[in-house]
Amino acid sequence: MRGRTTLVSTLALGLSLGACQTVPAVPPSAADAPASAGTWRATATDQDKERIRSWYKSWQAALTDARAKGYGADIEREGVLLEPMAALPNPHIPAGDYRCRTIKLGTQGRSTLAFIAYDWFRCRIADEQGIASFVKLTGSQRPVGLIFPDSLNRQVFLGTLQLGDERLAIDYGTDRMRDMAGLVERIGDNRWRLVLPAPAYESLLDVIELVPAN
């Protein structure tokens, strides 16, 4: 049986989560660290390791493109949500229901806007076999996957993209156009973001804001 349960089982099989690491002052390249059992590096595809490695470059490219096309005021209005180095210590996001909204920055072509801020949708964080899972419950583009420990300032998300009226998510690693990788960071009291660099479609960077539903 495919879907969220299969994805969780596939990613979590044999994993024993490792300890966190210290983040250097400069923008880190997490994918450069050696892979070991229990880390996201042992699970991620080469494509997704590159996405994590180049997160800061992707973010800067997205901001530059959006500002060049007249969205500077929109970016400034979002404050820390769109600041690359705004991550705070203790990135752990508790299990529960969340309100979530997506901002798409930059564009891969002329057919889409360089800044799109969507309304609030529903997301959920759950505990799955000793590791956290993330699923966007509503909307036409719904990431689903697992959240791995990485450092004192961030966690790493690996998952796939569920589209439209699809009822089941495909398995991670079976379709490179659906695979997703990103950073989970805390940016305030009861406020987190999931940063998705170099998505396969439309934008140069996606940022999903997460706040508890209650």
Side-chain angles (χ1 to χ4, degrees):
M1 180 177 177
R2 299 167 70 82
R4 187 172 70 89
T5 301
T6 303
L7 173 66
V8 169
S9 298
T10 300
L11 286 173
L13 184 62
L15 294 183
S16 175
L17 300 182
C20 295
Q21 302 168 3
T22 303
V23 174
V26 298
S29 296
D32 291 333
S36 60
T39 70
W40 65 267
R41 299 174 190 86
T43 303
T45 64
D46 289 342
Q47 172 185 256
D48 285 346
K49 288 178 183 177
E50 179 59 28
R51 280 173 167 157
I52 299 300
R53 180 181 294 111
S54 302
W55 71 271
Y56 189 75
K57 179 180 177 181
S58 296
W59 204 321
Q60 290 300 317
L63 288 173
T64 298
D65 186 59
R67 286 183 174 127
K69 294 174 180 174
Y71 295 100
D74 298 276
I75 293 170
E76 295 305 317
R77 187 159 46 245
E78 296 295 341
V80 296
L81 181 63
L82 300 183
E83 293 177 5
M85 301 300 291
L88 298 172
N90 185 23
H92 173 73
I93 180 168
D97 289 335
Y98 287 79
R99 298 170 65 230
C100 55
R101 68 182 184 112
T102 301
I103 294 178
K104 291 180 173 289
L105 275 178
T107 177
Q108 297 182 25
R110 297 180 180 179
S111 60
T112 57
L113 299 175
F115 181 96
I116 303 175
Y118 290 93
D119 204 347
W120 293 96
F121 290 94
R122 293 171 50 231
C123 291
R124 179 170 295 151
I125 302 292
D127 291 326
E128 305 278 359
Q129 303 175 28
I131 192 171
S133 68
F134 168 86
V135 57
K136 187 170 181 282
L137 298 170
T138 54
S140 60
Q141 297 183 11
R142 302 181 302 279
V144 53
L146 297 180
I147 300 173
F148 294 80
D150 183 60
S151 73
L152 295 178
N153 283 50
R154 72 186 188 191
Q155 296 177 291
V156 169
F157 168 82
L158 297 177
T160 61
L161 181 63
Q162 197 171 353
L163 297 173
D165 60 357
E166 293 176 348
R167 298 178 64 87
L168 299 175
I170 65 174
D171 294 340
Y172 178 75
T174 60
D175 185 344
R176 67 189 308 271
M177 297 300 289
R178 294 290 194 97
D179 287 346
M180 308 183 81
L183 309 176
V184 177
E185 300 173 331
R186 188 174 69 88
I187 55 171
D189 292 337
N190 292 319
R191 191 183 183 198
W192 291 263
R193 66 186 179 192
L194 168 56
V195 182
L196 299 164
Y201 303 101
E202 302 174 340
S203 55
L204 299 179
L205 184 92
D206 291 348
V207 179
I208 301 178
E209 180 180 8
L210 293 141
V211 296
N214 299 319

